[in-house]
Amino acid sequence: MSIIYNPQQYKLADKPMESFIDADEIHEIIGSHLNPSMEQVEAVIAKSLNKNRLSLQETAILVNANEPEMVDAIKTAAKQLKEQVYGKRIVLFAPLYVGNLCINDCTYCGFRSSNKKQERLTLGKQDIIDQVVALEDTGHKRLILVYGEHPRYDAQFIADTVKIVYDVKHENGEIRRVNINAAPLDVEGYKIVKEAGIGTYQIFQETYHKPTYEKVHIKGTKKHFDWRLTGLDRAQEGGIDDVGIGALFGLYDWRFEVVGLLRHVNHFEAVYNVGPHTISFPRIQSASGFEVDKKYEVSDADFTKLVAILRLAVPYTGLILTAREPGYIRDEILQYGVSQIDGGTNIEMKGYTSHKEQQDLDHEQFEICDDRSLNEVMEELVEDGYIPSFCTACYRLNRTGEHFMEFSVPGFIKRFCQPNAILTLAEYLEDYAPASTKEKGYQLIEDSLKDYEDERFKGKLIERLGKIKDGERDLYF
Ligand code: SAM
Ligand code: SF4
């Protein structure tokens, strides 16, 4: 079977959109690149280090590279790419669960409709305000709002809740970017949500393997593979060009999902001339009412490898890692080019104000493994030399596709992203950090300033840092 990436092939009018994922094709590509040689692996790596997106066949070589020295080479290259392209910034965000009513029955999710143990709740206006104030009090500036799938959570509801979040401004902070993780909408629905000023609209396909998909999505709208697969195409039609894709690792063979994700990326490039803004790779966690076969469980070794492969395969997208993963996995894969993580995460409904000591699976979607506070995460990042960033400048200046700009515009990171990360870090240190974090944070800022040889630019940055110390906020390049 030949694979030709002819953009015309995927135009809405020409062909049903859903046909771009072909399980036989993906199996065939993976199966025809078994046992690659070290030379083949090195050639693919070299292509990626030259900042080229890999083909499906090249990615298949990497997913089949099992020898320890091959895996080492893949991980080392991912680190190199991350350092060359993205530098030391890590963007921080927090998820906020708005409602856990759900008509679907996804066998892996605590919110599934057949799980009668789950307490159902939809945040009202005041509840949202309370959660947002609590998040702002810790220093967050970027949120992702998460919703079950339910007629009550229609486009207007999503848009209204986004507006409530943006309107919460109190003396101790503000949310500057709201992303969405919700069910796929129709084109009209996306237009309404776009109007509310969202950042990225994320929809994870969960698995690109249709037979598995149909097995784990028992009922509700979500059981329709094609409706979900084309969800972000409708978003594009509705004017949302900032989209995030993902797969839930552990439902089917991880190699298939990696190639499936890449095929989805190709589709966006072919049809819209721009790939997705972000890729997420949640690994399945235990949940209330959980009924998933462990057959495809992804080991830590495979998980860390697959993240390095994704970095190499699509060097220009943002990679999002969440608190589903324990600290030691986070620490390793941050080095392979993860660009965004959540911090101080609580996925329980009203969790940011409930202050419970222990997780309770009947109140949340699934178990999380990293329950450190935002400040603990910040301090650790700083100690490891990363610059935690709350920057939202690209989005607010209409420089869409922030990660793409970073990747494709030479010098962009040094001129915009790094200084903006430094400025948002300084805001955090002034407004929220305890003394020990503040000291370490300012030391990191001072060290980072040494990277700037251009004295004029460095002068401007130092001037803005001074203004932040004097109480000005929200300064960016
Ligand atoms: N209800 C919407 C949907 O299904 O697309 C959006 C929100 S859903 C709560 C967000 C994502 O959580 C899902 O796309 C799925 O990948 C992930 N998820 C669900 N159950 C999970 C589990 N047990 N472990 C890890 N991630 C899970
Ligand atoms: Fe509902 Fe989403 Fe959970 Fe499925 S993953 S049961 S759609 S909340």
Side-chain angles (χ1 to χ4, degrees), residues 101-106 108-113 147-149 206 217 222 228 365:
L101 296 177
C102 197
I103 53 163
N104 296 323
D105 202 351
C106 312
Y108 46 82
C109 178
F111 295 167
R112 60 191 292 199
S113 55
Y147 309 76
E149 179 159 4
E206 320 298 11
H217 298 105
K222 193 164 167 181
R228 193 163 181 92
Q365 193 196 5

Side-chain angles (χ1 to χ4, degrees), residues 97 101-102 104 106 108-111 145-149 181-184 202-206 222 228 246-249 282-287 290 292 324 365-367:
Y97 280 68
L101 296 177
C102 197
N104 296 323
C106 312
Y108 46 82
C109 178
F111 295 167
L145 302 191
V146 186
Y147 309 76
E149 179 159 4
N181 187 321
Q202 283 184 357
I203 299 175
F204 305 158
Q205 187 58 26
E206 320 298 11
K222 193 164 167 181
R228 193 163 181 92
L248 181 58
F249 282 89
R283 187 161 52 152
I284 215 157
Q285 305 292 324
S286 181
F290 187 77
V292 178
R324 292 173 179 89
Q365 193 196 5
F366 49 79
E367 199 168 29

